[in-house]
């Protein structure tokens, strides 16, 4: 398994009979083929197959293509899909906008040499090194234009294009930069490319669509870009080639080129569009890769736009889960789910909703097949909570063979006496008590009365067989373990926690509908030794029990340690009042850590319940005890092959501890208050395997971080949560779950064990083929989570999801979900860095990105110029996320980033759901300066780029973990006055923690926006107030993910170009 | 020499010493032939209310190997201000403070009546008394409640300045911090892990650098710490603490014993005192309700189905924890003894509690408190209350640590001691090569003394036969006892005693006359018990028999009527030592040598007390006292014989450990018929009441408190009586003896008569 760390997994690693090379592949991730190395076997095949596939592809994959332009394809595709709507729309879209791009990249495919040449040139000039930004920028422009708005004008193929190009070139091209001398080239070469595409007689086709529909409908067609830019773009590449142009088929008719493009778009677009009535400019998704001079950033796919469009298109609607393989709205979209037989996307999301039928196909496209499962996700108030089904003493009805739980996919036969398991096809008897007649449709008469037959998600009441030791579980417990060493006492933290607990404990989570929480609470304080407290309600005063035998931790008391808060309130109050005073004079600065967890674990063991530890730790545990840690933060390792060791836990003590914790249902949440390196990797290893979370507050100060911390604590304590959970993912025949990511522990290859799982924890599951899948039957996934509820009931939560299967790659690409994909990539990359140098991981990421896109290009897109970047509509913002992921701190080898922070992000991401990763990788940047304070609408976020900032602006940026309020230098004094009650920006104190409460509309509005966000996000965020050009701004800039990163990451534009180059390389 | 009896009594009265022989044969050979060695029962701290302590320090002989204390037997040259040591004959100068000395102005230590004298050492600060309670919490709620109350009450009985500490244990061991406000703190230890003193110190935060604990330097109060504080200060706190003591909360599943970490608890107690108060008198008072079932020192597993070891198991080597546990407790005992700490064990349980393994703790540390209580016989609470009432008396007089060392004249050497002491390994000229008991040293340490603590000391005459001692020479022995008085003072008590030498050839009669058979009996018994502890049972009996035979034979030497020793005349037999043989008969049957019918714990318990009680008590233990109450006259002592058991009598038997009232058959019937409730039979009521009153008196004065048994003819508890009396009538011979008297005993044991007959026969037959 370990080998799988690499990112590329899915496609390659799929079982490929032919791949003897499998292992070999892994082995030699040697220098020469770094990229491929990971893929291992695949790599080699890579070259070969590609070619092969290339050859074939036309015939096989895309039979239609050859003949006529994409256009026709479109139609076909549309037709093929079930989606009824699209056709018309698609037409409408007409690929117009893109046409421009296409034009640029003629149908290079065939002409290998030349292209390569071009590439070579390019790479030299533009891509290669990050620094050459300018160049890159040039390249980029071609990509898309922004949204719909632009639509109309440009497209016009013939005429416009020419003019455009000149403009472009003139304006944008920094003449100097490119060796290519783009402009001229552009012009000429461009035209040719189109040709290429067109040869098929595309021209005509293209034209019409383009012209008509495109413009109007598609905003995309980023006007300017369209025609002209292409030209420009093309230029550069071919730059050198031009001469050779001849070689290019394109050479010929400029005009033709255009038409084609449209066609292409159309093709690809079409597919996707069906879903999108909005007439999203699917087109834009395809970008022209070629570098251009200063390109318009607006021309490349915009995540904010995509989000907005989806919100417009599907927001506020009801999403009924009655169809197989239906692609849900984006995570960012507000919608209501109606469970009609498949699990809500809130519980399960897949990277694609249409699986390739065979392992070969999967391997070919390299799109990972994965599902992100958030089994206990919170449901909005307007959605029905899960029903609880009780099948009595025999327990839930299951398939005898594969043990799948009864679900809507089960097929009843023989008048209802038997049912055939949809997962393993085994025929089972229906138990007598469960018998029911079938109606004329072959459905059980009680279909609608039984949630387990009609819904995608429901719960079973578990019988004793599902309980540990066959005893019903006891109510879970929360144990608060407070580090009372010098630092925490001095900073006032201890006092703060104690005060907060008094109120917080009143709000312990409870089961829906129950009167009060049955969760028990216990308290421990510690420094070098541990202090347990007996807070039995019968006592007049609490009793403290010191355990100094930290080498072999044990729990000194049983009765009175874990108590019901309501019963023991008086004693607990007494205790919480005393704790800060008791240690007020403590000088002890050393702490222990492993024994603390051990203690909590033992306590839960002794009480025979599961539960959660809340540990508030100040520093690295340096006291002589098991789990003592040393500072091993070595900046010299960064960038070397040994960098991975920084992410590997230090001591096996913790590994064992994590195992024990999981076995006993003990989850650990760690709150860290470090003032320096704490070896978070190691300290967080227990939480990250037990379904816990790690919170970190550097240089904690009560005044500035207090509220922030308390918000986290409150959220954390009040979260709905399940304990002692085991999750099992079952699939129908033909594929199976092979890998799991999350804050989990796995003893074997199938059972996902979690000491606890809360509403925010997601598990990403990767699937691979065993066999081929049938298009008719589709693919079914059933996720069963056995857990203990807050009230101590044992439950089974079942989520079912059905997916399509298709032998057409285009179907797959159409059903992809970028947000899920990136979640998967992020998790697998973050795991991979444990085993291989970060550099390799990054390469793998790029390669796979390129490969996925190249495969699309080759198999699904209509032929077009190689210089053209074509992205599947569903993945058009994939590169920006991918780029952001590559720039995320764990994957950036910068010595300026604290190792702990990197480790922290790495570990927290592993447990994140789709929504969270999306937000993390593409923060929301909200302009606040122009909004109308009286309106209820949140201003639309803008793209995360410096260019979007304005000197006089006021922006709020948040990514779910950090929040910044950015103040432009030129902010109007009114604004400042209104917000801070200060005469000018200069008066602002650098470290204010919150906005002052002022009674004016602006202040109120902004504060309400902030608090709404804080409310909405999973974690609390500390509000940083940043002035333009102030030092802290650097921090802020890290989050402008479309820009070049301070720590050395490419800008979006550069990355896109780079990927394009890679794609082209693959295609040749 | 009728005065010998008086002489003995007087000596005992004044010095607390009783020798087996009061005139010593002057040669080694003679001495060995006498069978009973020259030995002494010495009660170092015999209560002497009339003895005012002297407020200065003793004057010592300047010879390094001697260091004897100036005493009335020394020759003093008043003019030269010199004194001659009567042990080594070194001439010493008086110290300057004795300048005014003269015949008429003698210091007390030179006055003959001060052969025993007590000095007060002025150096050093007064030492506190320490009481560390170690309390088992695996006790039934009722018992625990009673125990708690007793302990609370006990606080008021302690001297206010005494330091107290509390350790409780069950599955875990808790060391309670005293004097905490608002919250009660305790340090908890795993019950399965033994800790050495250093670890313990660290874990309790008692390490020297107080800075690490964040407290102001603690040096100003070295005399107490968080765990041991003056009673007066923490009285309330401790009372509350005790009040809140809970029964050990860990669940005990069916068929299991509670997990009781006695071994570790004791180890922690010892360690705590060791690192905080070394060489200071301290008592570790351990209250247990059952055997240790886990950790070091466990004596039985927690499975109820495996019973605790019995003698049978031990013989068959089936007691798997025995060795390890014994070793554990032995090491604890020696650590405690080294620091002068006493370990008392108060066990209250129906079954055994592992006293056998733990016996060395009380034995070596001079505890007076080993106690076995069966909670269902007498309510535990009253028992403990009694215990404390007892203790309260003793507290005043309880003395902490002491070394105790005899000095002897050149002609005698000390072979060893038997009693609650440990050797200090002080080699010296007066140490004999022959070891008896704890030997090879001239100094012992007895951590806890009470006024009745009695040691048996064995001596050896080393004078050769051909080097006669001049006529009128006296052998002197000086006992020096240093101890810590309950007032905190250090004191030294010096007892100097001397006995005449006599030539065994010529003065055999006077030697024989000086024989103190009671002392000799106890001394022999101690020796036997000591052997029983270390050797196999039958061997001991055989040894004892052999000694007896030799003694009988030897005694004939003194018998004027049997010069030839061809046979034993009953006259000489009775003259010399009839009493002694009776005693031996009972000793052979006593629980001290017989383990039959006694659990290992009981044996340990009995032996412990036998080894430390004074002569009178020891005699009772071996040969219980039997009083008869009847209408025939006032209560009278009767023979410990089955013939004494008559239907119309009430018997009161005092075995030291038990006080038993036995109602004869007729009396029992009367009682059943409730005659005593009828006014006309008031005399019967009185009769019934008389032994009860006497028993109560005994109960109140004796410690450890005896078990009180009230039974009657045919009652099951009557077995205690029946097993003690001489079975002169049994089911075998009941018709051959007078029918009207006594009750037959169903036993196969031989009766005294048979025993004597055999003894005589053996003594007369040739070699034995």
């Amino acid at each position: 398994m370990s080998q799988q760390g690499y990112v590329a997994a899915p496609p390659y690693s799929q079982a490929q009979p032919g791949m003897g090379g499998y292992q070999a592949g892994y082995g030699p991730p040697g220098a020469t083929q770094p990229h491929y190395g990971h893929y291992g076997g695949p790599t080699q095949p890579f070259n070969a197959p590609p070619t092969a596939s290339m050859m074939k592809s036309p015939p096989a994959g895309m039979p239609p293509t050859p003949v006529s332009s994409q256009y026709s394809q479109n139609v076909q595709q549309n037709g093929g899909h079930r989606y009824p709507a699209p056709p018309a729309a698609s037409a409408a879209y007409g690929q117009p906008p893109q046409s421009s791009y296409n034009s640029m990249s003629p149908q290079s495919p065939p002409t290998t040499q030349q292209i390569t040449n071009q590439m070579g040139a390019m790479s030299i000039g533009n891509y290669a090194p990050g620094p050459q930004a300018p160049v890159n920028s040039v390249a980029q422009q071609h990509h898309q234009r922004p949204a719909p708005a632009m639509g109309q004008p440009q497209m016009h193929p013939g005429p416009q294009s020419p003019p455009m190009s000149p403009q472009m070139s003139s304006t944008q091209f920094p003449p100097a930069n490119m060796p290519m001398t783009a402009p001229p080239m552009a012009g000429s070469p461009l035209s040719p490319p189109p040709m290429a595409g067109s040869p098929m007689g595309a021209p005509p086709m293209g034209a019409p669509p383009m012209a008509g529909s495109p413009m109007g409908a598609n905003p995309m067609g980023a006007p300017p870009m369209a025609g002209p830019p292409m030209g420009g773009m093309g230029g550069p590449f071919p730059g050198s080639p031009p001469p050779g142009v001849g070689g290019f088929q394109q050479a010929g008719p400029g005009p033709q080129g255009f038409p084609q493009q449209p066609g292409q778009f159309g093709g690809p677009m079409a597919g996707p569009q069906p879903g999108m009535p909005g007439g999203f400019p699917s087109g834009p998704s395809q970008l022209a890769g070629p570098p251009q001079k200063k390109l318009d950033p607006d021309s490349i796919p915009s995540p904010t736009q995509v989000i907005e469009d989806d919100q417009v298109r599907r927001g506020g609607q009801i999403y009924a889960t009655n169809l197989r393989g239906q692609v849900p709205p984006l995570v960012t979209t507000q919608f209501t789910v109606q469970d009609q037989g498949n699990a809500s996307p809130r519980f399960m999301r897949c990277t694609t909703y249409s699986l390739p039928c065979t392992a070969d196909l999967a391997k070919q496209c390299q799109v990972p097949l994965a599902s992100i499962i958030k089994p206990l996700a919170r449901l909005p108030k307007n959605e029905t909570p899960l029903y609880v089904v009780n099948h009595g003493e025999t327990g839930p009805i299951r398939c005898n063979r594969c043990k799948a739980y009864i679900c809507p996919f089960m097929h009843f036969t023989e008048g209802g006496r038997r049912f055939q398991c949809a997962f393993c096809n085994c025929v089972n008897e229906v138990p007598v008590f469960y018998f029911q007649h079938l109606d004329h449709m072959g459905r059980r008469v009680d279909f609608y009365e039984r949630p387990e037959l009609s819904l995608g998600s429901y719960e079973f009441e578990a019988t004793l067989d599902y309980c540990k030791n066959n005893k019903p579980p006891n109510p879970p417990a929360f144990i608060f373990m407070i580090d009372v060493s010098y630092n925490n006492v001095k900073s006032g933290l201890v006092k703060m926690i104690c005060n907060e607990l008094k109120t917080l404990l009143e709000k312990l989570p409870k089961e829906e509908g129950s009167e009060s929480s049955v969760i028990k609470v216990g308290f421990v304080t510690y420094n070098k030794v541990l202090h347990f407290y007996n807070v039995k309600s019968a006592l007049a005063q609490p009793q403290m029990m010191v355990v100094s035998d930290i080498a072999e931790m044990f729990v000194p008391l049983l009765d009175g340690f874990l108590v019901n808060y309501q019963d023991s309130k008086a004693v607990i109050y007494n205790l919480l009042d005393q704790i800060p005073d008791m240690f007020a004079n403590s000088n002890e600065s050393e702490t222990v850590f492993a024994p603390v967890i051990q203690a909590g674990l033992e306590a839960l063991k002794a009480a025979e319940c599961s539960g959660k530890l809340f540990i508030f730790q100040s520093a690295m545990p340096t006291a002589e005890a098991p789990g003592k840690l040393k500072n091993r933060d070595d900046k010299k390792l960064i960038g070397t092959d040994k960098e991975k060791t920084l992410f590997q836990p230090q001591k096996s003590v913790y590994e064992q501890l994590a195992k024990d914790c999981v076995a006993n249902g003990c989850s650990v949440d760690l709150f860290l208050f470090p003032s320096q390196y704490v070896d978070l990797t190691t300290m967080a290893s227990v939480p990250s395997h037990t379904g816990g979370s790690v919170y970190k507050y550097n240089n904690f100060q009560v005044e500035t971080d207090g509220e922030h911390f308390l918000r986290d604590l409150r959220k954390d304590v009040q979260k709905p949560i399940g304990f002692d959970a085991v999750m099992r993912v079952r699939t129908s025949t033909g594929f199976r779950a092979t890998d799991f990511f999350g804050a989990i522990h796995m003893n074997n290859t199938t059972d996902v064990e979690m000491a606890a799982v809360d509403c925010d924890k997601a598990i990403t599951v990767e699937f691979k083929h065993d066999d081929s899948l049938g298009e008719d039957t589709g693919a079914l996934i059933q996720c069963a989570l056995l857990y203990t509820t807050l009230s101590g009931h044992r439950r089974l939560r079942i989520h079912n999801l059905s997916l399509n299967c298709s032998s057409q790659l285009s179907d797959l690409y159409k059903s992809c979900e970028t947000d899920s994909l990136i979640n998967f990539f992020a998790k697998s990359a973050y795991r991979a860095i444990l085993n291989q140098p970060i550099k390799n991981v990054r390469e793998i990421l790029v390669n796979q990105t390129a490969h996925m896109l190249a495969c699309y290009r080759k198999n699904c897109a209509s032929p077009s110029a190689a210089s053209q970047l074509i992205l599947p509509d569903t993945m058009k913002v994939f590169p920006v996320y991918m780029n952001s992921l590559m720039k995320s701190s764990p994957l950036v080898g910068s010595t300026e980033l604290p190792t702990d922070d990197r480790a922290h992000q790495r570990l927290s991401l592993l447990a994140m759901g789709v929504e969270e990763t999306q937000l993390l990788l593409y923060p929301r940047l909200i302009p606040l300066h122009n909004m109308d304070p009286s309106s209820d609408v949140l201003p639309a976020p803008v793209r995360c780029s410096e260019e979007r900032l304005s000197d006089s602006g006021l922006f709020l940026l948040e990514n779910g973990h950090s929040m910044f309020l950015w103040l432009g230098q030129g902010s109007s004094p009114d604004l400042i006055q209104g917000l801070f009650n200060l005469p000018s920006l200069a008066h602002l104190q650098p470290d204010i923690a919150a906005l002052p409460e002022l009674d004016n509309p602006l202040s109120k509005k902004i504060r309400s926006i902030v608090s709404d966000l804080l409310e909405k996000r999973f974690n609390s965020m500390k509000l940083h107030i940043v002035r333009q050009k102030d030092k802290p701004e650097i921090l802020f800039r890290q989050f402008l993910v479309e820009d070049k990163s301070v720590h050395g990451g490419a800008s979006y534009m550069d990355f896109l170009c780079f990927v394009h180059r890679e794609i082209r390389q693959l295609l040749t | 020499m009728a005065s010998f009896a008086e002489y003995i009594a007087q000596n005992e009265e004044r010095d607390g010493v009783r020798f087996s022989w009061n005139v010593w044969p002057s040669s080694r050979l003679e001495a060995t032939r006498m069978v009973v060695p020259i030995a002494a029962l010495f009660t170092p701290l015999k209560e002497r209310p009339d003895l005012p302590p002297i407020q200065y320090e003793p004057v010592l002989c300047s010879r390094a190997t001697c260091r004897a204390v100036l005493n009335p037997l020394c020759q003093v040259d008043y003019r030269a201000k010199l004194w001659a040591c009567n042990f080594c004959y070194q001439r010493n100068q008086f110290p300057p403070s004795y300048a005014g000395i003269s015949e008429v102005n003698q210091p007390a230590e030179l006055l003959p009546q001060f052969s025993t004298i007590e000095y007060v050492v002025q150096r050093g600060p007064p030492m506190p008394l320490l009481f560390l309670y170690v309390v088992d919490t695996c006790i039934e709620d009722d018992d625990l409640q009673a125990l708690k109350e007793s302990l609370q009450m006990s606080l008021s009985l302690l001297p206010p300045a005494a330091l107290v500490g509390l350790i409780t244990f069950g599955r875990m061991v808790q060391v309670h911090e005293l004097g905490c406000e608002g919250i009660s703190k305790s340090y908890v230890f795993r019950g399965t892990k033994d800790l050495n003193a250093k670890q313990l110190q660290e874990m309790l935060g008692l390490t020297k650098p107080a800075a690490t604990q964040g407290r102001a330097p603690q040096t100003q109060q070295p005399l107490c710490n968080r765990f041991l504080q003056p009673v007066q200060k923490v009285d309330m706190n401790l009372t509350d603490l005790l009040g809140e003591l809970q029964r050990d909360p860990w669940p005990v599943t069916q068929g299991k014993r509670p997990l009781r970490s006695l071994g570790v608890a004791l180890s922690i107690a010892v360690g705590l005192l060791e690192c905080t108060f070394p060489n200071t008198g301290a008592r570790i008072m351990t209250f247990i309700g059952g055997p240790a079932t886990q950790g070091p020192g466990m004596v039985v597993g927690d499975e109820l189905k495996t019973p605790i070891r019995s003698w049978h198991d031990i013989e068959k080597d089936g007691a798997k924890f025995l060795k390890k546990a014994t070793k554990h407790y032995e090491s604890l005992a020696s650590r405690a003894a080294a620091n002068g700490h006493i370990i008392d064990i108060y066990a209250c349980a129906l079954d055994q509690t592992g006293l056998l393994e733990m016996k060395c703790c009380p034995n070596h540390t001079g505890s007076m408190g080993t106690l076995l209580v069966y909670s269902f016989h007498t309510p535990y609470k009253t028992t403990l209350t009694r215990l404390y009432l007892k203790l309260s008396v003793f507290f005043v007089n309880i003395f902490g640590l002491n070394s105790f060392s005899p000095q002897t004249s050149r002609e005698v050497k000390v072979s060893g001691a038997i009693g609650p002491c440990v050797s200090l390994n002080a080699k010296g000229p007066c140490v004999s090569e022959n070891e008896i008991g704890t030997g090879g040293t001239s100094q012992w340490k007895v951590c806890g003394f009470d006024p009745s603590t009695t040691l048996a000391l064995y001596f050896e005459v080393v004078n050769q036969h051909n080097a006669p001692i001049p006529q009128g020479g006296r052998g002197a022995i000086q006992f020096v006892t240093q101890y810590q008085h309950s007032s905190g003072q250090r004191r030294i008590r010096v007892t100097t005693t001397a006995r005449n030498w006599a030539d065994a050839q010529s003065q055999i009669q006077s030697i024989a006359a000086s024989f103190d058979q009671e002392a000799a009996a106890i001394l022999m018994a101690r020796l036997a018990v000591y052997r029983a502890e270390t050797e196999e049972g039958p061997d001991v009996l055989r040894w004892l028999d052999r000694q007896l035979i030799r003694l009988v034979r030897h005694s004939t030497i003194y018998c004027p009527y049997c010069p030839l020793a061809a046979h034993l005349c009953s006259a000489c037999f009775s003259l010399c030592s009839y009493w002694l043989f009776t005693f031996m008969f009972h000793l052979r049957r006593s629980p001290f040598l017989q383990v039959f019918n006694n659990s290992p714990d009981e044996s340990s318990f009995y032996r412990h007390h036998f080894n430390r009680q004074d002569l009178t008590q020891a005699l009772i233990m071996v040969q219980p006292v039997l009083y008869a109450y009847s209408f025939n006259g006032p209560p009278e002592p009767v023979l410990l014989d089955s013939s004494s058991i008559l239907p119309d009598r009430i018997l009161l038997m005092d075995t030291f450990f038990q006080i038993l009232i036995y109602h004869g058959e007729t009396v029992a019937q009367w009682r059943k018929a409730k005659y005593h409730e009828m006014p006309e039979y008031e005399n019967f009521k009185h009769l019934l009441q008389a032994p009860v009153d006497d028993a109560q008196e005994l109960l109140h004065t004796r410690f450890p408190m005896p078990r009180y048994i009230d039974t009657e003819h045919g009652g099951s508890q009557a077995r205690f009586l029946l097993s003690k009396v001489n079975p002169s009538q049994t089911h075998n011979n009941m018709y051959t003896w007078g029918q009207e008297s006594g009750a037959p005993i169903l036993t196969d044991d031989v009766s005294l008569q048979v025993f004597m007959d055999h003894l005589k026969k053996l003594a007369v037959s040739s070699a034995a």
Side-chain angles (χ1 to χ4, degrees), chain A residues 529 533 536 538-559 574-575 578 582 585-588 606, chain B residues 172 174 177 180-193 195 202-204 211-215 237 241 244-246 249-251:
Chain A
V529 297
Y533 296 94
K536 206 163 141 180
L539 293 177
Q541 58 181 36
Q543 290 176 350
M544 166 180 178
M545 300 189 163
V546 185
V547 172
S548 27
D549 185 3
I550 43 186
E552 289 177 58
M553 191 39 65
F554 61 92
V555 190
L557 76 172
L558 185 62
D559 201 19
N574 185 340
L575 172 67
Q578 286 193 54
M582 262 191 296
N585 300 321
S586 165
N587 280 338
E588 186 57 68
Chain B
M172 315 275 171
Q174 275 176 273
E177 190 172 326
C180 308
E181 292 295 324
I183 188 165
S184 53
K185 296 185 192 173
S186 59
Y187 284 68
V188 189
F189 297 86
R190 190 187 273 278
T192 51
K193 186 178 171 189
L195 302 165
E202 272 169 16
M203 289 187 178
L204 289 179
T212 58
Q213 280 298 311
R215 290 190 178 72
N237 187 269
L241 201 59
E244 287 202 335
L245 269 192
Q246 302 289 323
W250 298 90

Side-chain angles (χ1 to χ4, degrees), chain B residues 313-327:
Chain B
D313 297 328
I314 294 170
E315 271 162 34
K316 292 188 135 183
D317 213 15
K320 57 177 176 177
F321 302 113
L322 180 67
K323 283 216 177 83
K324 244 179 108 184
T326 309
K327 210 175 144 201

Side-chain angles (χ1 to χ4, degrees), chain A residues 678-784:
Chain A
V678 293
D679 193 357
L680 188 130
T681 303
T682 310
M683 293 190 72
S685 62
V686 176
S688 65
H689 282 98
T690 56
S693 312
V694 178
Y695 301 86
K696 184 155 155 287
Y697 310 91
N698 293 334
N699 300 314
F700 180 84
Q701 286 181 322
V702 166
E703 305 75 39
T704 54
D705 305 284
E707 261 313 303
H708 170 41
F709 155 66
L710 291 181
R711 273 195 307 264
D712 267 339
L713 179 60
R714 285 177 208 136
K715 279 182 190 253
D716 197 50
V717 169
Q718 296 174 27
K719 265 182 202 177
I721 184 171
F723 296 94
D724 204 4
V726 181
M727 188 178 95
R728 179 79 184 259
V729 178
R730 292 187 174 80
T731 54
S732 54
T733 50
F735 74 120
R736 69 195 155 86
T738 54
D739 210 353
F740 301 85
F741 305 86
I744 56 171
H745 172 75
M746 298 201 54
N747 259 333
N748 53 38
T749 52
T750 52
D751 292 341
V752 179
E753 295 178 45
M754 290 165 287
V757 50
D758 63 46
C759 62
D760 299 333
K761 295 281 180 297
I763 297 101
T764 299
V765 184
E766 189 189 354
F767 300 104
K768 283 181 191 155
H769 284 80
D770 268 344
D771 199 353
S772 56
L773 299 168
E775 296 202 21
D776 316 337
T777 53
L780 309 178
I781 303 175
Q782 182 178 73
C783 157

